[in-house]
Amino acid sequence: MKILLFGGTTEGKATSNWLDDLEIPHFYSTKTSSGNYESRFGQRICGAMNVEEICTFCLENEIDLLIDAAHPFAEVLHHSIVESANQASLPVIRVERDAVPRINSKWIQYHHSLVSILTDLHSQKYKNILSLVGVKAIPVIHKIVPNANIWYRILDFPSSLEIAQKAGVEMEKVIVSDAFDGMESIENLLVDEGIEAMITKESGYSGLLDQKMDLAVKHQIPLYVIARPDLPNYDETISNRERLQKYLKNRFGLERKELAHGFTSGTCAAIATKAALKLLLGEELQLKERIALPDGGICEMQLHQNRFMEDFALCSVVKNSGDDPDITDGMEIGACLRWNDVNCIRFVKGEGVGTVTLNGLGIPLGEPAVNPVPRKMIAFELEQILEEYDINRGIDVSVFVPVGKKLGAKTFNPKLGIVDGISIIGTTGRIKPYSLEAYVQTIQKQLNLAVLNGNKHIVVNSGGRSERYLKEKFPDLGDLAFLQYGNFIGEMLQTINASGAEKVSMGIMTGKAVKLAAGHLDTHSSKVVLDHNFLMGLARDCSYSEEIIQQIGEIKMARELEELVPFMGDEPFFKAVKFKCEKVCKQVITDCSFELLLISNNGVII
């Protein structure tokens, strides 16, 4: 069978994941080409389609089912999809999350349009108004009620600020917020500025509508809500993977070939964290990111969001739990990173992740409910990259799940003393603490795959940054030929022995090289620190001045060596470092030719 899926939303990507697991070919239709999308069985098509165009597409591509997972406010598209299904005699279903229930309160008022709300606000002569609608509504609001004191909460995008400025909004009335910030920061504004009314859209839990409604009732401030448009009649409305599978079985007789595996919320958070740190360090936006799993496997996920601003970076993924029942399947899970001044990795509260209030969970009281194993996974990925860049700074990690507060109430979290959100966990019985054995298993799997696919020349490196430089040096080698050893140099070299590889090129940056030169095949900072005496002795053997030798003895990070001594192939100090690294490695690797490439922090290779 073939399916035409209308997406452009988190639900759309989640549905595509579900169809991938079922191995069903499908087309993923979005109005624009913005946003990442990759699928094993899905093909993306871009551009708006009217009823006639949808019918023609279905006929030409032998479509069996239409799925509408488009944004709730895409009213015209919803009706076009259903009308097309009727004309083409095709079944049509709707995929969407549970909506925030409407409450019977005099403080919550629903209107069919923004203009209707503004007309009512004008008639009520409200002066102090808070808009939570979104940046695109600013020009309309500012035009219809120009004399009101209106504060606008917008997301921290340059384009959003530009729209506000062009509309003539006083910038002191603009509240810039990060994506997925809760509404806590709004409470003081409501009191301090005497807010008399608020405006928002019926955007659901991901738009924090439930929190906005709670604030309105608590402070007895009218909340005007632009109501979701009425949806047409679908054959069925579905909210999760299980119901989709049941529908496909009943309607089309589709039976599962085999159960699909998935990934934990901890894995999702670790991938988002790794991608966010790369953005924070100035690397280019990526469409995907991968990590090594505690069980020795590799997980690669498509990034749903990736955003970098002056003082933070944010990335997220859409969770795919496979056939393991999980309340967060299909939900967005992400991480926002900021530098801190405490020189450590610190977990801070993010939207939708619960807070620990009882002892016994292995998490400090008052901290977000990111469980111990996911914390180790996240810390491992961050430490690898920081060490690769030779950076000694602390990071605040804020894991977020936009609908987590709602989901947490449906779990055992409240009984465990975890309030206001879900826990970031690993699957029970399947995630083990990070181990050397697991990492070696990962290396072995990658190496076997490389050699099996005809790669006799293997290039090993410490991480993504050094790998990028080495790919420029060896442009004729494919991606499989490049393997990362992290800190486990000895294990990598031992694994290469008897693997069938004929040549090994090992890239190493200064920070790890000075540790390796001193004889340490495991260069992790927890096991070996910068050896000043070794470096001073090396400089003394190379006949450097006593002034240079003393300066070497005072460095805090290895990259400072490149400022004291020219990074060149014929420079005695780095020539000696490279020679000692080669000597240590050649004691381990015996079955193939070996070369060592010393890499500076600027990408110079000697």
Side-chain angles (χ1 to χ4, degrees):
M1 66 178 301
K2 291 182 183 179
I3 292 174
L4 175 56
L5 165 64
F6 292 87
T9 57
T10 305
E11 289 86 354
K13 288 187 177 179
T15 306
S16 183
N17 286 340
W18 301 339
L19 296 176
D20 269 353
D21 289 342
L22 291 167
E23 300 184 5
I24 297 177
H26 56 284
F27 295 93
Y28 184 71
S29 174
T30 57
K31 185 176 182 179
T32 69
S33 59
S34 62
N36 302 335
Y37 179 73
E38 186 174 285
S39 168
R40 291 181 297 128
F41 292 90
Q43 177 181 336
R44 186 174 189 171
I45 55 174
C46 301
M49 291 192 289
N50 57 31
V51 173
E52 182 181 354
E53 290 167 334
I54 295 173
C55 290
T56 300
F57 184 91
C58 291
L59 179 63
E60 292 177 348
N61 292 277
E62 300 179 335
I63 298 298
D64 299 295
L65 171 67
L66 296 179
I67 299 180
D68 180 3
H71 193 279
F73 280 84
E75 184 174 9
V76 174
L77 177 59
H78 298 317
H79 288 275
S80 294
I81 292 170
V82 172
E83 177 60 27
S84 300
N86 292 335
Q87 290 190 19
S89 299
L90 291 173
V92 56
I93 61 175
R94 169 74 177 159
V95 174
E96 64 176 352
R97 295 195 193 108
D98 295 336
V100 177
R102 292 185 176 183
I103 62 175
N104 184 17
S105 169
K106 67 178 182 179
W107 305 112
I108 313 297
Q109 301 182 29
Y110 295 89
H111 288 249
H112 67 275
S113 70
L114 176 59
V115 173
S116 172
I117 289 174
L118 295 175
T119 302
D120 197 358
L121 290 174
H122 182 70
S123 68
Q124 296 290 337
K125 299 183 179 180
Y126 288 125
K127 286 294 184 182
N128 299 325
I129 301 169
L130 172 60
S131 170
L132 305 170
V133 180
V135 69
K136 292 182 179 180
I138 288 180
V140 178
I141 298 173
H142 198 58
K143 182 178 180 180
I144 296 180
V145 284
N147 297 322
N149 293 319
I150 304 177
W151 283 260
Y152 298 91
R153 183 180 188 264
I154 65 175
L155 294 183
D156 195 2
F157 289 109
S159 58
S160 299
L161 291 170
E162 185 178 346
I163 291 173
Q165 289 173 334
K166 285 184 177 180
V169 175
E170 299 174 36
M171 296 314 293
E172 60 267 23
K173 298 287 181 66
V174 175
I175 306 162
V176 179
S177 301
D178 297 340
F180 311 120
D181 268 357
M183 299 303 298
E184 295 87 354
S185 61
I186 296 298
E187 272 200 272
N188 290 337
L189 177 75
L190 299 181
V191 176
D192 295 343
E193 301 296 342
I195 298 298
E196 300 170 323
M198 297 185 288
I199 313 169
T200 191
K201 294 174 70 174
E202 196 174 10
S203 52
Y205 290 98
S206 60
L208 309 180
L209 178 60
D210 54 329
Q211 296 184 31
K212 297 170 186 177
M213 293 166 69
D214 289 343
L215 282 179
V217 174
K218 177 181 177 180
H219 293 276
Q220 298 185 355
I221 299 173
L223 176 65
Y224 287 77
V225 183
I226 304 171
R228 286 175 43 154
D230 293 332
L231 294 174
N233 293 321
Y234 299 95
D235 296 346
E236 193 163 336
T237 298
I238 288 168
S239 60
N240 56 49
R241 174 196 302 261
E242 183 181 1
R243 290 186 62 183
L244 176 62
Q245 292 176 358
K246 184 177 180 180
Y247 173 83
L248 293 174
K249 181 179 180 179
N250 293 339
R251 183 67 173 77
F252 297 97
L254 183 70
E255 295 287 351
R256 296 302 313 277
K257 295 180 180 179
E258 60 182 27
L259 294 179
H261 75 278
F263 299 101
T264 67
S265 54
T267 297
C268 294
I271 285 180
T273 301
K274 181 178 180 180
L277 180 55
K278 288 183 176 181
L279 286 184
L280 202 59
L281 291 171
E283 293 198 14
E284 294 181 358
L285 292 174
Q286 299 297 316
L287 299 181
K288 295 184 291 185
E289 188 54 79
R290 60 161 50 190
I291 63 168
L293 297 174
D295 63 2
I298 292 289
C299 176
E300 183 175 73
M301 288 188 186
Q302 175 190 163
L303 297 176
H304 180 59
Q305 284 202 69
N306 39 22
R307 187 155 69 92
F308 170 68
M309 298 300 290
E310 184 175 348
D311 62 342
F312 75 91
L314 177 152
C315 291
S316 68
V317 300
V318 175
K319 183 178 179 184
N320 183 356
S321 299
D323 284 302
D324 185 26
D326 190 295
I327 196 170
T328 55
D329 183 34
M331 302 300 171
E332 183 175 8
I333 297 177
C336 182
L337 269 59
R338 286 182 170 84
W339 299 114
N340 67 41
D341 296 326
V342 296
N343 201 32
C344 69
I345 295 171
R346 183 170 62 183
F347 290 87
V348 298
K349 168 71 173 169
E351 178 61 33
V353 175
T355 300
V356 175
T357 64
L358 296 178
N359 289 314
L361 297 176
I363 306 171
L365 293 179
E367 289 204 4
V370 180
N371 281 17
V373 170
R375 285 180 180 233
K376 290 179 181 178
M377 295 172 68
I378 290 169
F380 178 87
E381 297 298 340
L382 294 180
E383 288 168 357
Q384 289 281 97
I385 298 174
L386 290 175
E387 190 163 348
E388 179 189 342
Y389 274 81
D390 206 6
I391 289 176
N392 187 24
R393 295 185 69 180
I395 298 177
D396 282 347
V397 180
S398 176
V399 179
F400 61 83
V401 184
V403 295
K405 186 174 182 180
K406 172 217 173 189
L407 298 177
K410 297 182 178 181
T411 69
F412 287 108
N413 275 6
K415 293 183 179 180
L416 298 174
I418 299 173
V419 300
D420 292 335
I422 66 163
S423 300
I424 303 300
I425 63 174
T427 305
T428 303
R430 288 197 285 168
I431 289 184
K432 300 178 294 184
Y434 240 105
S435 66
L436 172 60
E437 178 184 359
Y439 202 91
V440 172
Q441 288 175 1
T442 300
I443 291 173
Q444 184 70 66
K445 290 177 181 178
Q446 291 178 291
L447 182 60
N448 290 343
L449 184 62
V451 175
L452 186 64
N453 283 272
N455 294 278
K456 299 298 184 179
H457 181 188
I458 301 298
V459 182
V460 299
N461 57 87
S462 62
R465 188 181 181 197
S466 54
E467 183 171 291
R468 186 168 67 250
Y469 297 141
L470 291 167
K471 283 184 174 180
E472 293 175 358
K473 181 175 178 61
F474 301 108
D476 296 333
L477 296 180
D479 287 343
L480 288 176
F482 294 85
L483 279 69
Q484 296 181 10
Y485 53 74
N487 287 296
F488 304 124
I489 297 172
E491 286 71 24
M492 169 65 84
L493 297 179
Q494 289 173 354
T495 303
I496 291 174
N497 285 330
S499 67
E502 297 175 355
K503 178 181 178 180
V504 177
S505 299
M506 176 177 161
I508 188 165
M509 300 185 78
T510 304
K512 293 186 187 297
V514 296
K515 297 178 182 179
L516 176 62
H520 301 286
L521 285 164
D522 184 341
T523 60
H524 197 283
S525 57
S526 65
K527 295 186 178 182
V528 56
V529 296
L530 194 63
D531 190 338
H532 290 90
N533 290 331
F534 169 76
L535 295 175
M536 292 169 71
L538 199 62
R540 192 170 285 115
D541 291 342
C542 295
S543 302
Y544 284 87
S545 69
E546 195 61 27
E547 181 183 0
I548 292 293
I549 293 171
Q550 292 305 316
Q551 287 177 333
I552 288 175
E554 295 174 359
I555 64 172
K556 294 182 179 180
M557 293 180 286
R559 68 181 178 190
E560 295 175 43
L561 291 167
E562 299 173 16
E563 301 170 5
L564 298 175
V565 182
F567 192 91
M568 297 186 297
D570 58 356
E571 182 68 25
F573 182 82
F574 285 109
K575 190 174 182 179
V577 170
K578 182 176 180 181
F579 173 79
K580 286 186 174 293
C581 286
E582 290 173 336
K583 184 177 179 181
V584 172
C585 291
K586 287 179 179 178
Q587 294 175 1
V588 181
I589 190 159
T590 58
D591 290 0
C592 57
S593 65
F594 175 83
E595 68 171 341
L596 186 132
L597 304 169
L598 190 59
I599 309 173
S600 77
N601 280 280
N602 294 324
V604 177
I605 298 177
I606 57 177

